[in-house]
Amino acid sequence: MKSIILVALIGIIMGVIYTYGFNNIYNVAKISLLPTGYAPVMDTIFSGLWYMAAPLAMYFVPTPGSGTIGELLASIVEMAIGGQWGALTVLEGLIQGATNEIGFFPKKSRYQAFSWSSVLTGAFFASIGGFVPSYFLYGWYKYSIDLQIVMFITGVISSLVFDGVLVKLITNLFERSLKPVIQ
């Protein structure tokens, strides 16, 4: 029961952060790039921020499925409180959460170890899980090949930086703060 409540809390908190934090920063940045023709790149530059609920849920509840449920709940909350992408947010959250778990699945020991390699592998696959549906749903395939390549590369980098490195550093801080000091 505690695990369910913890994953739900992570999903709720991240959904609120997505809607009132990341979405607003993204919108301002995207508007600023409109005159350049590179505004679509903002879709991928910030994409890693929206994948963070999954690894955080997996860190606190190290079991298969926790990342998928955490990201799904975050996307439901984001949609419910007025996220700008509407119901598609839920589909994307489900896909992003499930693909993030690829770095950890199928061994429960990988969830418990929460290693750099698992986190970064999960982040890489989350970027793929975010890019592919968006490519078709939002018509990215209509962009020039050069722009598509830039969007793919920035999406992978964003995911590795935010969903991978940043989340791992955050969880490392939790590890240090929760361990007793032995003198």
Side-chain angles (χ1 to χ4, degrees):
M1 187 61 138
K2 289 179 186 178
S3 296
I4 293 168
I5 292 169
L6 188 54
V7 169
L9 284 173
I10 291 167
I12 291 167
I13 291 166
M14 290 305 293
V16 170
I17 291 171
Y18 291 168
T19 304
Y20 297 116
F22 300 159
N23 290 0
N24 292 328
I25 295 167
Y26 158 82
N27 289 333
V28 169
K30 188 162 182 171
I31 287 170
S32 69
L33 280 183
L34 279 174
T36 68
Y38 283 95
V41 175
M42 277 303 134
D43 294 344
T44 55
I45 286 177
F46 286 108
S47 62
L49 291 170
W50 285 283
Y51 309 153
M52 293 172 62
L56 288 172
M58 288 185 283
Y59 172 76
F60 287 105
V61 181
T63 189
S66 61
T68 302
I69 294 168
E71 194 68 54
L72 178 62
L73 289 173
S75 67
I76 290 169
V77 169
E78 182 180 2
M79 179 199 66
I81 61 176
Q84 61 204 44
W85 292 283
L88 282 176
T89 306
V90 177
L91 172 66
E92 293 171 351
L94 177 65
I95 294 168
Q96 293 158 4
T99 53
N100 218 314
E101 291 208 37
I102 293 172
F104 299 85
F105 194 78
K107 296 182 180 180
K108 187 168 176 146
S109 61
R110 289 185 186 159
Y111 287 83
Q112 293 166 339
F114 206 77
S115 68
W116 277 101
S117 63
S118 291
V119 173
L120 292 174
T121 301
F124 174 77
F125 281 103
S127 74
I128 304 298
F131 187 88
V132 171
S134 297
Y135 186 80
F136 296 103
L137 291 170
Y138 301 118
W140 293 357
Y141 58 86
K142 296 177 185 174
Y143 298 146
S144 71
I145 294 296
D146 291 344
L147 184 56
Q148 290 178 40
I149 291 169
V150 168
M151 290 174 73
F152 179 78
I153 291 169
T154 56
V156 170
I157 292 170
S158 174
S159 188
L160 291 173
V161 168
F162 295 119
D163 183 41
V165 173
L166 181 60
V167 167
K168 183 63 174 147
L169 292 175
I170 290 169
T171 59
N172 284 350
L173 288 174
F174 273 107
E175 285 291 319
R176 276 186 255 155
S177 68
L178 296 175
K179 285 184 181 176
V181 177
I182 301 171
Q183 294 183 2

